Amino acid sequence: MPGRRDSLSEISVGRVWDKQAKSRHLISTTISRPNPFSKPEKKLLTEKSASVTHPKKGTATSSVTAVDDPSSGGRRSITDLPPALVSEILCHLNAKDLGVVSCVSTLLYSLASDHRGWKEFYCGRWGLPLGSPPISSSSPEDKTWKELFVEREFRSNSYMGRFSMEVLRGHTEAVRSVFLLPAAKLIFTGGYDSVVRTWDMEDGLAIASSRSLGCTIRAVAADMQLLGRRGAPHLFDITGSSSTAAGHEFRLWGHEGPVTCIALDSARIFSGSWDMSVRIWDRARKKCSMVLRHGDWVWSLVPRRTTVATTAGGDAYIWDIEDGNQLAVINNAHVGNAYALARTHSEDLLFTGGEDGAVRLFELTGCDGGSSRPIATWVPHTAAVQSLAFEFPWLVSCSSDGRLALIDVRKLLESGRRRFLAGAAEPPQRMLHGFGCNIFSVAVGADRICCGGEEGVVRVWNFSQALEMEKRARALRGIRLENRMRRRKVQLDWSGRSGSSEQCSVVAAKRNQMGGDRAWHSKRGVGGKLKA
């Protein structure tokens, strides 16, 4: 019997091989001997199908046949274009579409990852990175612009997560100005006690404090050019105790009233005052190069590249830094004074906060003169808005009512939706409480929000661990859900077992009852017989 089974298996295998050989011979004869009565188009289709059936040809053969196929109309994919032309096409995509295109193929991934558009996207949202040299995508040590963009975009979601709050104590009176320098991890504060203090952003410890300057400090600004050299690792020596600090300390005289706002760029210093003027100073020569006259007290200013935005009274202005011409004006931006100002790095949008407790968004391209209608308006506060801070996509406002409002303007910054959202906007995504009253200044950056007010303390809201905490919370929720499902499953199993045991007990009771009745009847019958 075993030998017979082996012979039968060999016969069946042989038949199968004969059938496959016949089929292969039939296919080869069909391809090698074309039908003289067939049309040429069918011959092309037969050759195309035959080329596709060979796995050794790969995708290149199929693509070539697709190009040579007259039925395709000569159409080609975008990957067949020169890389330079593809790169120019990618210039017209936004960040989201460029990220989607990079997932299509390896060629598009390499072109989209090294594309120069990522630098424009990054600088348009957050400006150039401070404290670092220009980044080159060719150097393997530094991060590419795409990596920087993705990392910063991921961190921007942390302001909706959990936070920890630190209180920095040191000022003896109200804090009027707070400035955050994320590149150096420093916080600068000043107030009614006439002292400028410097804090470590990570530890919350006081690093240095200046001597009493004899007047209220209403504005503080700093950048990486002012950081210390030669033994001052954290800051220029604001105490004035060292001999080297005397050469770096200077005063700029020119304003005839209190200075309310100050800002810096690489070559200039901007200052605004209650003398109704904004002065532009040359940082190298320490001299005033231009004066911008206003019709009311100047409350705030924000420079961007070749322009500077200012607020005076209830109006907002845009000035050209090079020639001092007024480029645009927004009349009656608020009911009362416009105390606060913020701008996007793309220079086309302006945020204002005023005495009426409202925060408004204006588009600068359309306000060439006269009044301009705001794109969006928020009224998150019941008192005057004292300060605004913007870091894409979050706009943070502080008010005299003792609250902070966090507004996500990501949707509003899309140029295609601005005309549809005129005057209507979502309410603030988050409100931060816990203050007394009168918050005068706010700063945002590096996953932190700093504010100072009448309490005389500086509060720092730390969101750096928000994403990690959210991941842990999600993991714990998943574990709890899994444990709950397991307990539910065990309960269902126990209930099933108890149900089957109850059924068995019921059946057994019925059987016992029937058996007892029979025994009783049998005993009764036996007793009757015995009596008889």
Side-chain angles (χ1 to χ4, degrees), residues 13-336:
V13 171
R15 290 178 179 176
V16 171
W17 279 101
D18 291 341
K19 290 181 180 180
Q20 292 180 357
K22 290 180 180 179
S23 62
R24 288 198 303 270
H25 177 69
L26 181 61
I27 293 173
S28 62
T29 53
T30 304
I31 296 176
S32 60
R33 297 179 182 179
N35 190 359
F37 299 99
S38 62
K39 295 182 180 180
E41 295 181 358
K42 293 184 178 179
K43 181 179 179 181
L44 289 173
L45 293 175
T46 305
E47 292 178 357
K48 178 184 176 182
S49 61
S51 63
V52 171
T53 53
H54 291 287
K56 296 181 180 180
K57 298 290 184 180
T59 56
T61 305
S62 61
S63 63
V64 172
T65 54
V67 174
D68 296 336
D69 188 4
S71 61
S72 63
R75 292 175 295 179
R76 304 178 67 180
S77 64
I78 191 173
T79 56
D80 298 325
L81 298 175
L85 182 58
V86 176
S87 181
E88 290 297 328
I89 295 174
L90 297 181
C91 290
H92 299 277
L93 301 179
N94 56 22
K96 182 178 179 180
D97 295 337
L98 193 60
V100 172
V101 167
S102 64
C103 301
V104 175
S105 65
T106 56
L107 176 61
L108 292 178
Y109 176 80
S110 60
L111 291 176
S113 299
D114 299 334
H115 197 263
R116 63 181 182 273
W118 292 110
K119 180 180 178 181
E120 299 177 1
F121 296 146
Y122 186 96
C123 297
R125 293 188 177 186
W126 302 288
L128 287 172
L130 298 176
S132 59
I135 299 175
S136 174
S137 59
S138 60
S139 57
E141 297 83 11
D142 299 330
K143 293 182 179 180
T144 61
W145 286 107
K146 181 183 178 181
E147 293 173 349
L148 287 173
F149 180 88
V150 172
E151 180 182 355
R152 195 71 177 267
E153 184 74 13
F154 179 74
R155 281 169 46 194
S156 65
N157 299 322
S158 62
Y159 290 106
M160 288 301 293
R162 303 182 182 183
F163 57 84
S164 60
M165 188 176 65
E166 299 178 3
V167 180
L168 309 182
R169 303 182 184 275
H171 288 279
T172 58
E173 296 185 45
V175 178
R176 288 290 310 183
S177 179
V178 174
F179 186 85
L180 181 63
L181 188 61
K185 298 182 180 180
L186 296 175
I187 302 173
F188 303 89
T189 58
Y192 287 154
D193 57 0
S194 305
V195 176
V196 177
R197 296 183 182 273
T198 308
W199 313 82
D200 192 316
M201 188 179 66
E202 297 292 339
D203 302 332
L205 301 177
I207 297 175
S209 62
S210 70
R211 56 182 174 82
S212 178
L213 301 179
C215 59
T216 301
I217 308 300
R218 299 181 180 272
V220 176
D223 60 4
M224 298 299 295
Q225 296 184 20
L226 297 177
L227 293 185
R229 317 178 188 107
R230 299 180 183 176
H234 297 290
L235 177 69
F236 59 96
D237 191 1
I238 61 176
T239 62
S241 58
S242 63
S243 59
T244 58
H248 297 284
E249 181 179 349
F250 56 89
R251 295 189 179 188
L252 304 178
W253 299 94
H255 285 291
E256 298 177 357
V259 176
T260 57
C261 50
I262 190 171
L264 305 173
D265 66 5
S266 59
R268 290 171 288 261
I269 300 174
F270 304 85
S271 61
S273 173
W274 283 350
D275 62 358
M276 298 184 293
S277 69
V278 171
R279 292 181 177 267
I280 302 177
W281 311 79
D282 192 322
R283 292 185 68 167
R285 298 183 300 161
K286 311 296 187 301
K287 293 183 179 180
C288 180
S289 60
M290 189 177 299
V291 179
L292 306 177
R293 299 293 180 182
H294 295 70
D296 206 333
W297 289 359
V298 177
W299 293 102
S300 181
L301 62 87
V302 178
R304 285 286 185 269
R305 299 179 187 173
T306 60
T307 61
V308 58
T310 61
T311 58
D315 304 331
Y317 304 88
I318 306 297
W319 305 83
D320 191 337
I321 298 176
E322 302 297 334
D323 52 15
N325 293 330
Q326 182 178 300
L327 302 178
V329 59
I330 302 174
N331 293 326
N332 302 320
H334 292 272
V335 178

Side-chain angles (χ1 to χ4, degrees), residues 379-398:
V379 188
H381 302 287
T382 58
V385 177
Q386 298 288 346
S387 178
L388 291 176
F390 178 73
E391 181 178 359
F392 185 90
W394 294 101
L395 176 67
V396 185
S397 64
C398 70

Side-chain angles (χ1 to χ4, degrees), residues 401-412:
D401 61 2
R403 296 187 299 173
L404 296 179
L406 277 69
I407 305 172
D408 188 352
V409 297
R410 197 190 313 263
K411 296 180 180 179
L412 290 174

Side-chain angles (χ1 to χ4, degrees), residues 343-526:
R343 294 180 70 182
T344 60
H345 286 275
S346 57
E347 303 183 53
D348 58 341
L349 296 176
L350 182 72
F351 301 95
T352 61
E355 195 174 357
D356 54 359
V359 177
R360 290 188 172 91
L361 171 62
F362 295 92
E363 189 170 10
L364 300 180
T365 55
C367 54
D368 51 353
S371 61
S372 176
R373 185 180 178 184
I375 296 176
T377 301
W378 300 270
V379 188
H381 302 287
T382 58
V385 177
Q386 298 288 346
S387 178
L388 291 176
F390 178 73
E391 181 178 359
F392 185 90
W394 294 101
L395 176 67
V396 185
S397 64
C398 70
S399 171
S400 298
D401 61 2
R403 296 187 299 173
L404 296 179
L406 277 69
I407 305 172
D408 188 352
V409 297
R410 197 190 313 263
K411 296 180 180 179
L412 290 174
L413 295 185
E414 297 177 2
S415 59
R417 300 187 58 182
R418 292 174 190 168
R419 59 180 180 271
F420 301 108
L421 296 173
E426 298 179 356
Q429 278 68 28
R430 192 165 194 174
M431 299 293 294
L432 299 179
H433 306 268
F435 308 97
C437 61
N438 290 337
I439 304 178
F440 296 130
S441 180
V442 66
V444 60
D447 304 328
R448 285 170 174 82
I449 298 176
C450 306
C451 66
E454 195 173 2
E455 296 177 320
V457 299
V458 179
R459 298 182 184 270
V460 181
W461 307 75
N462 189 352
F463 294 87
S464 58
Q465 300 297 325
L467 299 178
E468 296 296 331
M469 295 170 68
E470 182 65 22
K471 289 181 181 178
R472 276 180 263 163
R474 289 182 181 179
L476 290 175
R477 284 197 295 266
I479 292 173
R480 286 197 294 267
L481 180 61
E482 186 178 356
N483 293 336
R484 193 180 300 116
M485 296 298 293
R486 287 180 180 177
R487 288 195 299 269
R488 181 63 178 170
K489 184 177 180 182
V490 171
Q491 291 176 359
L492 292 175
D493 293 342
W494 278 106
S495 62
R497 292 178 183 178
S498 62
S500 60
S501 61
E502 289 177 359
Q503 292 178 0
C504 294
S505 62
V506 170
V507 172
K510 289 182 178 180
R511 289 180 180 176
N512 293 334
Q513 184 179 3
M514 293 175 63
D517 294 340
R518 291 175 184 174
W520 183 76
H521 287 296
S522 62
K523 289 180 181 179
R524 185 178 180 183
V526 171

